[in-house]
Amino acid sequence: MSIPLLEYKPLSQNHRVDSFEIAGDEQPRLFTTDNLLSSTELDFLISAAYRQVYNEQQMLDKHRQVILESQLRSRQITVRGFIRGLVLSDSFRRLTFDCNNNYRFAEICIQRILGRNVYSDREKIAWSIVIATKGIEAFVDELLNSEEYLNNFGDSIVPYQRRRILPQRTKGDVTFAHMTRYGADYRDRLPKQVYKGNRGAARLDYLRWEWQKNPPAIIGQIGAGITYAGAGFIGLLLLAVLLGW
Protein backbone atom coordinates (compact mmCIF):
# COMPACT_ATOMS: atom_id res chain seq x y z
CA MET A 1 0.00 0.00 0.00
CA SER A 2 1.45 3.37 -1.05
CA ILE A 3 1.90 6.19 1.44
CA PRO A 4 -0.64 9.01 0.90
CA LEU A 5 0.68 12.48 0.18
CA LEU A 6 1.57 14.30 3.39
CA GLU A 7 -0.82 17.19 3.96
CA TYR A 8 0.52 20.74 3.83
CA LYS A 9 -1.14 24.16 3.93
CA PRO A 10 -0.99 26.33 0.80
CA LEU A 11 0.19 29.76 1.92
CA SER A 12 -1.06 33.03 0.45
CA GLN A 13 1.74 33.53 -2.03
CA ASN A 14 1.53 36.20 -4.70
CA HIS A 15 0.13 33.87 -7.37
CA ARG A 16 -2.84 32.94 -5.15
CA VAL A 17 -4.07 36.55 -4.85
CA ASP A 18 -6.32 38.17 -7.45
CA SER A 19 -4.36 40.42 -9.75
CA PHE A 20 -5.14 44.09 -10.38
CA GLU A 21 -2.05 44.65 -12.47
CA ILE A 22 -2.23 46.36 -15.84
CA ALA A 23 -0.98 44.20 -18.67
CA GLY A 24 2.45 45.19 -19.91
CA ASP A 25 5.85 43.94 -21.04
CA GLU A 26 6.61 42.62 -17.55
CA GLN A 27 3.79 40.11 -17.76
CA PRO A 28 4.76 36.56 -18.81
CA ARG A 29 4.08 35.65 -22.41
CA LEU A 30 1.77 32.70 -22.89
CA PHE A 31 2.81 29.99 -25.34
CA THR A 32 -0.12 27.76 -26.23
CA THR A 33 -1.28 25.43 -28.99
CA ASP A 34 -4.92 26.43 -28.61
CA ASN A 35 -4.63 28.33 -31.90
CA LEU A 36 -3.21 26.94 -35.11
CA LEU A 37 0.48 27.81 -35.02
CA SER A 38 2.87 28.37 -37.90
CA SER A 39 6.16 26.51 -37.97
CA THR A 40 8.01 29.54 -36.56
CA GLU A 41 5.50 30.05 -33.76
CA LEU A 42 5.81 26.38 -32.82
CA ASP A 43 9.58 26.79 -32.70
CA PHE A 44 9.11 29.63 -30.19
CA LEU A 45 6.80 27.45 -28.10
CA ILE A 46 9.29 24.59 -28.04
CA SER A 47 12.10 26.97 -27.06
CA ALA A 48 9.94 28.35 -24.24
CA ALA A 49 9.34 24.81 -22.96
CA TYR A 50 13.07 24.05 -22.96
CA ARG A 51 13.78 27.36 -21.23
CA GLN A 52 11.18 26.63 -18.54
CA VAL A 53 12.36 23.09 -17.79
CA TYR A 54 16.08 23.12 -18.59
CA ASN A 55 16.84 26.81 -17.95
CA GLU A 56 19.15 28.86 -20.12
CA GLN A 57 22.31 27.21 -18.77
CA GLN A 58 21.31 23.77 -20.05
CA MET A 59 19.87 24.69 -23.46
CA LEU A 60 22.49 22.93 -25.59
CA ASP A 61 21.94 21.03 -28.82
CA LYS A 62 23.00 17.76 -27.21
CA HIS A 63 20.13 18.06 -24.70
CA ARG A 64 17.44 18.45 -27.39
CA GLN A 65 14.75 15.79 -27.42
CA VAL A 66 14.22 15.51 -31.17
CA ILE A 67 11.69 12.67 -30.98
CA LEU A 68 9.54 14.59 -28.50
CA GLU A 69 9.71 17.70 -30.70
CA SER A 70 8.57 15.67 -33.71
CA GLN A 71 5.67 14.18 -31.75
CA LEU A 72 4.57 17.64 -30.60
CA ARG A 73 4.78 19.08 -34.11
CA SER A 74 2.62 16.25 -35.47
CA ARG A 75 0.14 16.61 -32.57
CA GLN A 76 0.86 13.09 -31.30
CA ILE A 77 1.42 14.54 -27.82
CA THR A 78 0.18 17.67 -26.07
CA VAL A 79 2.27 20.42 -24.52
CA ARG A 80 1.74 18.71 -21.17
CA GLY A 81 3.11 15.48 -22.63
CA PHE A 82 6.07 17.39 -24.03
CA ILE A 83 6.83 18.90 -20.60
CA ARG A 84 6.58 15.42 -19.08
CA GLY A 85 9.08 14.06 -21.59
CA LEU A 86 11.56 16.87 -20.89
CA VAL A 87 11.41 16.40 -17.12
CA LEU A 88 11.83 12.62 -17.44
CA SER A 89 14.61 12.88 -20.03
CA ASP A 90 18.08 11.53 -19.33
CA SER A 91 19.57 15.03 -19.59
CA PHE A 92 17.29 16.48 -16.93
CA ARG A 93 17.90 13.49 -14.67
CA ARG A 94 21.68 13.79 -14.94
CA LEU A 95 21.85 17.58 -14.63
CA THR A 96 19.18 18.06 -11.97
CA PHE A 97 18.23 14.87 -10.14
CA ASP A 98 21.66 13.24 -9.83
CA CYS A 99 23.22 16.35 -8.25
CA ASN A 100 20.48 17.06 -5.71
CA ASN A 101 18.75 15.46 -2.78
CA ASN A 102 15.03 14.71 -3.01
CA TYR A 103 14.08 17.91 -1.19
CA ARG A 104 15.89 20.16 -3.64
CA PHE A 105 14.71 18.15 -6.65
CA ALA A 106 11.09 18.44 -5.49
CA GLU A 107 11.51 22.20 -5.10
CA ILE A 108 12.97 22.59 -8.60
CA CYS A 109 10.19 20.54 -10.20
CA ILE A 110 7.49 22.54 -8.41
CA GLN A 111 9.09 25.76 -9.64
CA ARG A 112 9.41 24.61 -13.24
CA ILE A 113 6.22 22.56 -13.58
CA LEU A 114 3.75 24.43 -11.35
CA GLY A 115 5.37 27.84 -11.86
CA ARG A 116 5.62 28.81 -8.20
CA ASN A 117 7.83 28.42 -5.15
CA VAL A 118 7.18 25.74 -2.57
CA TYR A 119 4.90 26.81 0.24
CA SER A 120 7.06 25.47 3.04
CA ASP A 121 9.56 22.79 4.04
CA ARG A 122 6.59 20.54 4.77
CA GLU A 123 5.64 20.57 1.10
CA LYS A 124 9.19 19.64 0.11
CA ILE A 125 9.11 16.79 2.61
CA ALA A 126 5.73 15.60 1.31
CA TRP A 127 6.89 15.40 -2.30
CA SER A 128 10.30 13.97 -1.39
CA ILE A 129 8.46 11.06 0.22
CA VAL A 130 6.64 10.50 -3.09
CA ILE A 131 9.96 10.48 -4.94
CA ALA A 132 11.46 8.00 -2.47
CA THR A 133 8.49 5.61 -2.40
CA LYS A 134 7.02 5.86 -5.92
CA GLY A 135 9.91 7.08 -8.05
CA ILE A 136 10.52 10.10 -10.26
CA GLU A 137 8.01 9.15 -12.95
CA ALA A 138 5.10 8.85 -10.50
CA PHE A 139 6.15 12.12 -8.83
CA VAL A 140 6.18 14.01 -12.14
CA ASP A 141 2.83 12.49 -13.17
CA GLU A 142 1.23 13.59 -9.90
CA LEU A 143 2.38 17.16 -10.48
CA LEU A 144 1.20 17.21 -14.10
CA ASN A 145 -2.13 15.62 -13.22
CA SER A 146 -2.73 17.88 -10.23
CA GLU A 147 -5.69 20.24 -10.14
CA GLU A 148 -3.31 23.18 -9.78
CA TYR A 149 -1.47 22.35 -13.00
CA LEU A 150 -4.60 21.60 -15.01
CA ASN A 151 -6.37 24.77 -13.86
CA ASN A 152 -3.42 27.02 -14.73
CA PHE A 153 -1.88 25.40 -17.80
CA GLY A 154 -4.06 22.53 -18.97
CA ASP A 155 -2.86 20.44 -21.90
CA SER A 156 -1.86 23.28 -24.21
CA ILE A 157 0.02 26.01 -22.26
CA VAL A 158 3.73 25.99 -21.52
CA PRO A 159 4.24 26.49 -17.74
CA TYR A 160 5.69 29.81 -16.65
CA GLN A 161 6.56 31.59 -13.40
CA ARG A 162 3.21 32.95 -12.25
CA ARG A 163 2.82 36.49 -10.87
CA ARG A 164 6.50 37.27 -10.37
CA ILE A 165 5.95 41.03 -9.94
CA LEU A 166 5.27 42.07 -6.35
CA PRO A 167 3.26 45.23 -5.52
CA GLN A 168 5.11 48.19 -3.97
CA ARG A 169 8.49 46.77 -4.94
CA THR A 170 10.81 48.15 -7.59
CA LYS A 171 11.86 44.62 -8.52
CA GLY A 172 10.07 41.28 -8.52
CA ASP A 173 11.26 37.91 -7.30
CA VAL A 174 14.35 36.40 -8.87
CA THR A 175 13.34 34.25 -11.80
CA PHE A 176 13.66 30.50 -11.38
CA ALA A 177 15.94 30.46 -14.42
CA HIS A 178 18.55 32.44 -12.45
CA MET A 179 18.60 30.05 -9.50
CA THR A 180 21.30 27.40 -9.21
CA ARG A 181 20.27 23.92 -10.25
CA TYR A 182 21.96 22.26 -7.28
CA GLY A 183 22.11 22.98 -3.57
CA ALA A 184 24.92 23.82 -1.20
CA ASP A 185 25.29 20.20 -0.09
CA TYR A 186 26.25 19.10 -3.61
CA ARG A 187 28.52 22.11 -4.08
CA ASP A 188 30.37 21.30 -0.86
CA ARG A 189 30.98 17.73 -2.07
CA LEU A 190 32.89 18.91 -5.14
CA PRO A 191 36.57 17.88 -4.97
CA LYS A 192 38.88 20.56 -3.66
CA GLN A 193 42.22 20.11 -5.41
CA VAL A 194 45.17 22.49 -5.11
CA TYR A 195 48.24 23.17 -7.19
CA LYS A 196 51.42 21.53 -5.97
CA GLY A 197 53.39 24.74 -6.16
CA ASN A 198 50.87 26.86 -4.26
CA ARG A 199 48.84 25.28 -1.50
CA GLY A 200 46.44 28.20 -1.33
CA ALA A 201 45.56 28.22 -5.04
CA ALA A 202 42.51 26.15 -5.87
CA ARG A 203 42.56 24.16 -9.07
CA LEU A 204 39.37 24.69 -11.06
CA ASP A 205 40.13 22.51 -14.11
CA TYR A 206 37.87 19.75 -12.82
CA LEU A 207 34.91 22.18 -12.86
CA ARG A 208 35.32 23.01 -16.53
CA TRP A 209 34.08 21.29 -19.65
CA GLU A 210 36.75 19.47 -21.66
CA TRP A 211 36.93 22.21 -24.28
CA GLN A 212 37.46 24.81 -21.54
CA LYS A 213 40.47 23.10 -19.97
CA ASN A 214 44.02 24.10 -20.77
CA PRO A 215 45.50 21.99 -23.60
CA PRO A 216 48.35 19.55 -22.88
CA ALA A 217 51.86 21.02 -22.86
CA ILE A 218 52.83 19.11 -26.03
CA ILE A 219 50.10 20.97 -27.95
CA GLY A 220 51.62 24.29 -26.92
CA GLN A 221 55.11 23.15 -27.96
CA ILE A 222 53.86 22.02 -31.38
CA GLY A 223 52.06 25.33 -31.85
CA ALA A 224 55.19 27.28 -30.93
CA GLY A 225 57.25 25.24 -33.38
CA ILE A 226 54.82 25.92 -36.21
CA THR A 227 54.85 29.63 -35.37
CA TYR A 228 58.65 29.88 -35.42
CA ALA A 229 58.90 27.86 -38.64
CA GLY A 230 56.31 30.07 -40.31
CA ALA A 231 58.10 33.24 -39.16
CA GLY A 232 61.43 31.90 -40.51
CA PHE A 233 59.89 31.06 -43.89
CA ILE A 234 58.36 34.53 -44.21
CA GLY A 235 61.70 36.10 -43.30
CA LEU A 236 63.52 34.13 -46.02
CA LEU A 237 60.81 35.05 -48.52
CA LEU A 238 61.15 38.76 -47.76
CA LEU A 239 64.94 38.51 -47.99
CA ALA A 240 64.65 36.83 -51.41
CA VAL A 241 62.38 39.62 -52.66
CA LEU A 242 64.68 42.34 -51.41
CA LEU A 243 67.77 40.74 -52.98
CA GLY A 244 65.96 40.02 -56.24
CA TRP A 245 66.55 36.29 -56.15
Side-chain angles (χ1 to χ4, degrees):
M1 185 173 115
S2 61
I3 301 176
L5 182 65
L6 183 68
E7 294 184 0
Y8 55 87
K9 293 182 180 180
L11 304 179
S12 295
Q13 292 184 352
N14 196 43
H15 70 274
R16 300 187 70 240
V17 182
D18 291 337
S19 173
F20 297 97
E21 299 161 357
I22 300 175
D25 294 338
E26 296 294 333
Q27 301 298 322
R29 178 181 175 184
L30 296 184
F31 293 90
T32 177
T33 56
D34 285 340
N35 301 320
L36 185 62
L37 300 179
S38 64
S39 177
T40 302
E41 291 172 331
L42 194 54
D43 289 339
F44 289 151
L45 184 145
I46 291 174
S47 296
Y50 276 115
R51 195 160 49 249
Q52 176 66 19
V53 176
Y54 284 172
N55 283 353
E56 295 285 357
Q57 299 90 342
Q58 302 174 29
M59 289 180 62
L60 304 175
D61 282 342
K62 69 176 183 179
H63 297 319
R64 285 186 59 188
Q65 307 299 314
V66 180
I67 296 177
L68 286 175
E69 291 182 26
S70 177
Q71 291 175 335
L72 180 62
R73 293 179 189 279
S74 60
R75 301 299 177 96
Q76 296 179 17
I77 59 175
T78 62
V79 172
R80 182 158 65 113
F82 184 67
I83 296 296
R84 180 182 186 274
L86 293 183
V87 177
L88 294 178
S89 65
D90 180 67
S91 294
F92 189 80
R93 177 188 289 266
R94 287 187 294 102
L95 294 172
T96 309
F97 177 74
D98 290 350
C99 62
N100 283 298
N101 55 38
N102 288 351
Y103 306 112
R104 176 61 179 155
F105 182 71
E107 181 181 17
I108 290 176
C109 288
I110 289 173
Q111 290 175 344
R112 301 186 188 182
I113 296 177
L114 298 183
R116 64 165 174 85
N117 265 322
V118 293
Y119 292 126
S120 61
D121 287 341
R122 187 175 178 85
E123 184 179 19
K124 288 194 289 187
I125 294 172
W127 287 112
S128 67
I129 293 174
V130 174
I131 297 172
T133 57
K134 299 181 180 179
I136 300 177
E137 186 171 342
F139 160 66
V140 172
D141 286 339
E142 288 198 31
L143 288 182
L144 291 171
N145 295 330
S146 65
E147 183 179 354
E148 181 178 2
Y149 183 92
L150 295 175
N151 288 340
N152 287 283
F153 309 118
D155 283 327
S156 58
I157 300 177
V158 175
Y160 56 89
Q161 186 170 351
R162 295 179 278 154
R163 299 284 314 284
R164 188 174 71 89
I165 299 176
L166 299 180
Q168 300 180 0
R169 289 194 187 180
T170 57
K171 296 181 180 180
D173 287 342
V174 176
T175 59
F176 299 147
H178 290 84
M179 296 181 180
T180 56
R181 61 180 172 86
Y182 53 80
D185 56 337
Y186 177 79
R187 180 201 62 204
D188 294 340
R189 290 199 307 269
L190 293 173
K192 296 179 176 61
Q193 302 180 11
V194 295
Y195 288 115
K196 294 181 179 179
N198 185 356
R199 295 182 179 181
R203 181 178 180 181
L204 300 179
D205 281 353
Y206 65 92
L207 295 177
R208 300 176 180 174
W209 297 102
E210 288 298 328
W211 59 270
Q212 291 177 309
K213 295 182 180 180
N214 294 327
I218 186 64
I219 300 297
Q221 295 173 2
I222 294 175
I226 294 175
T227 301
Y228 292 140
F233 175 77
I234 294 175
L236 291 175
L237 185 61
L238 291 175
L239 182 62
V241 172
L242 294 175
L243 297 178
W245 290 354

